[in-house]
Structures are given as structure tokens and as C-alpha cells.
Amino acid sequence: MKLATKIDEIRAQSHAVHRSGAGLGLVPTMGALHEGHLSLVRAARAKSDVVAVSIFVNPTQFGPNEDFTRYPRNLESDCALLEREGVDVVFAPSAEEMYPKAAATWVNVERLSDRLCGKSRPGHFRGVATVVAKLFNIVEPDLAFFGQKDAAQVAVINRMVRDLNMPVQIEVCPIVRETDGLALSSRNAYLNPDERKMALVLHASLQRAQKVFSDGERDASKISSEAKKAFVWQPGARLDYLEIVNPDDLEPVPTINKRSLVAVAAFIGSTRLIDNILLEP
Ligand code: AMP
């Protein structure tokens, strides 16, 4: 497995892959890898001849009072995991390498970027779209793999790729969970044992939504108020949002008559976690 830290190095690798006629898959990550990330890597391994994984804690997608500086960083152990998965190349640039001084160009996917996490994290999706566009331009993958865990991110990236005619196919992989239902996240490492128990409230709220939907309820406001009850019983958790939206444009849906996304975000102590499910009529 090769480790590239410079744009020129990863470009040389990618050009060699394309010259050989092989297909290149990219898995963009911020590192602190867990089984969720590795499921993307395995999907990439199954669908592409050559697999590249990027590890970059992207400063532009963090707000001023967010966890950018304390976000977990373990390049060495991440690389060991990726080597075991048969990854061909890791791209782990510095912030200086990715953002030249006085960089002035942003990718802003309008409307979608102001929904769900974009509402509580202004500028977050502008940072995400910009760095993913840059990674696509640098690595030039044929396929790129993202997790359904970040459902709004998937909507933003899909829209960007479509609107800007980017020659890459987006593959979305299912959410990987702990056995008790908690969605895997690098931020779970912040939770103390009490908070780890409290964090189950996100999954519990989604299960309530699924239950009332399966029982026949189609009114989105009724489903979401039922789901939010999980938070009343868990006062240690602070709900940020629980919304039922169209998974493609992230606009709220009043009635569930086609596939709809139930997305939840909550603070457990100072840790902000997200989760979601799709309701399929
Ligand atoms: P991150 O390192 O948090 O930026 O995540 C990198 C990629 O891994 C994103 O596409 C995430 O959606 C995906 N991912 C993170 N957690 C999970 C999970 N529990 N299951 C599936 N994919 C995930």
C-alpha cells in the first residue's frame, strides 16, 4: 500500500491507473477509521480494480466552536487497517496542501446545504462539497463511496455531481451499527460510559418512527412527534432536529407516500451525533 501526502504524488498514481485501463474507486474519510468506513472500503474493493482512501480532517467543514482540533487522528493505525483491507493507496494531505493560501473558490449546493445538519452547522456542507469536489479533481475516481449514515451529505454530493457534470459514479453504502443499534461514528469515542448508554436514544427514536409507520401511520408530523417522545424519556440528550424529508432534495414531506428519510441529530453531553432511517411505503 502506498501513502501519498502530496497532490502530485496521488495524481501520478491515478494517471498510471487510468493509463492501464483499470477502474479507480475512492473512499473519502476523515480517518479514525471504524467498521463503517471499512464497509465502504470493502464495497470499493469489490467494485474497483484499484482502491484509494483519502484521510483528511477537513477544516472548512467545521464551525468555529466545533471539534476540529480535538477530532481523533491516528494515521498509523488507520493505515494498518487499510493495508489489511487490500487498499492500494492512501491519500493523506496536510491542510496546507489542500488549501493554498488565499483560496477563494467554494462549491455551494444551494438550498440542500441549508437543510438538516446545514441548518445547525452553517457552512458545513459548503466545506464538504468543496473538499469532495477537490478530491474528485485530484484523484479522478471512476467510483466514489459514501455512507448512508450521512444522508444529507449523500444528497448534497449527488446534486453537486449531477449539476456540475462530474464524471464519477456515487455509490452509497448502508449504515453499520453496534449490536445495540448505535450507528458507528468516529465521534462515539468522545462518549463516557453513561453517555454511551444515552446515545441509544437516537436509534430508539428512529425505531419508534419505523414502528408507527409500519402500523400504518402516514402523517409525517404524527410520526415525528411519536419519534421525539424517545427524547422526553432521555433528558440527558438534547435533540437538535428530527425531521422527515425527501432524501433527494431534503425538503420536508407532509405525508409519506414515497421513500422518505427520517433524520435525527442530538447532543449527548457535548458530543453531537446523527442517525437516520428510510421509510419505504
Ligand atoms: P467520516 O470519516 O466521518 O467523514 O466518514 C467517511 C465516510 O464513512 C462517509 O461517507 C460516512 O458516511 C461513512 N460512514 C461513517 N460512519 C458510517 C457508518 N456507521 N456506516 C456506514 N458508513 C459510515
Side-chain angles (χ1 to χ4, degrees):
M1 188 178 80
K2 297 206 171 71
L3 173 64
T5 57
K6 300 287 179 208
I7 291 168
D8 286 348
E9 291 173 297
I10 188 77
R11 276 231 165 98
Q13 302 262 339
S14 153
H15 289 172
V17 173
H18 289 307
R19 268 197 309 273
S20 76
L24 177 58
L26 172 67
V27 181
T29 81
M30 298 206 298
L33 302 179
H34 51 63
E35 279 294 319
H37 297 111
L38 298 184
S39 73
L40 270 53
V41 170
R42 287 169 200 145
R45 190 63 287 166
K47 290 200 173 177
S48 357
D49 305 309
V50 176
V51 176
V53 175
S54 62
I55 297 180
F56 180 59
V57 184
N58 173 36
T60 66
Q61 70 187 69
F62 287 80
N65 299 314
E66 294 182 356
D67 56 343
F68 174 68
T69 45
R70 80 169 183 134
Y71 196 85
R73 291 162 171 87
N74 356 324
L75 184 59
E76 223 170 284
S77 52
D78 286 349
C79 284
L81 286 172
L82 295 176
E83 181 134 46
R84 240 176 284 154
E85 296 294 333
V87 167
D88 299 285
V89 54
V90 172
F91 177 49
S94 66
E96 294 71 34
E97 182 72 5
M98 285 298 277
Y99 292 102
K101 275 210 177 71
T105 308
W106 296 97
V107 178
N108 192 29
V109 180
E110 292 184 1
R111 293 186 301 281
L112 281 78
S113 292
D114 300 326
R115 308 223 47 96
L116 302 181
C117 290
K119 220 185 288 175
S120 21
R121 304 181 70 188
H124 170 67
F125 286 124
R126 182 180 82 153
V128 169
T130 302
V131 81
V132 172
K134 287 168 68 70
L135 287 168
F136 287 175
N137 283 335
I138 291 166
V139 181
E140 298 183 58
D142 301 291
L143 301 175
F145 296 79
F146 292 86
Q148 175 62 21
K149 160 89 189 326
D150 296 88
Q153 171 170 284
V154 166
V156 167
I157 301 297
N158 273 330
R159 188 60 64 96
M160 171 184 82
V161 164
R162 191 200 71 173
D163 290 354
L164 297 182
N165 311 95
M166 293 178 166
V168 56
Q169 188 179 317
I170 303 301
E171 300 280 336
V172 182
C173 302
I175 302 178
V176 178
R177 301 177 177 281
E178 302 278 8
T179 44
D180 63 4
L182 180 69
L184 295 191
S185 162
S186 305
R187 291 190 169 97
N188 292 350
Y190 298 149
L191 303 172
N192 67 34
D194 282 343
E195 291 172 335
R196 171 65 183 77
K197 281 182 212 143
M198 271 188 242
L200 285 176
V201 66
L202 284 91
H203 184 238
S205 70
L206 297 173
Q207 281 188 309
R208 286 186 73 81
Q210 179 66 67
K211 169 84 172 63
V212 284
F213 175 76
S214 299
D215 289 347
E217 185 59 66
R218 292 294 179 267
D219 180 331
S221 68
K222 288 199 180 130
I223 296 172
S224 62
S225 48
E226 199 52 43
K228 284 176 190 169
K229 283 183 187 162
F231 285 88
V232 178
W233 301 321
Q234 187 52 271
R238 183 162 60 83
L239 181 63
D240 180 4
Y241 65 74
L242 187 148
E243 284 192 50
I244 304 183
V245 300
N246 175 322
D248 300 322
D249 62 15
L250 308 179
E251 293 294 328
V253 291
T255 310
I256 301 179
N257 43 31
K258 57 178 197 263
R259 206 165 68 110
S260 301
L261 175 74
V262 188
V264 62
F267 286 91
I268 311 295
S270 58
T271 304
R272 188 174 177 284
L273 299 178
I274 60 171
D275 200 349
N276 69 83
I277 51 162
L278 287 165
L279 299 178
E280 316 256 3

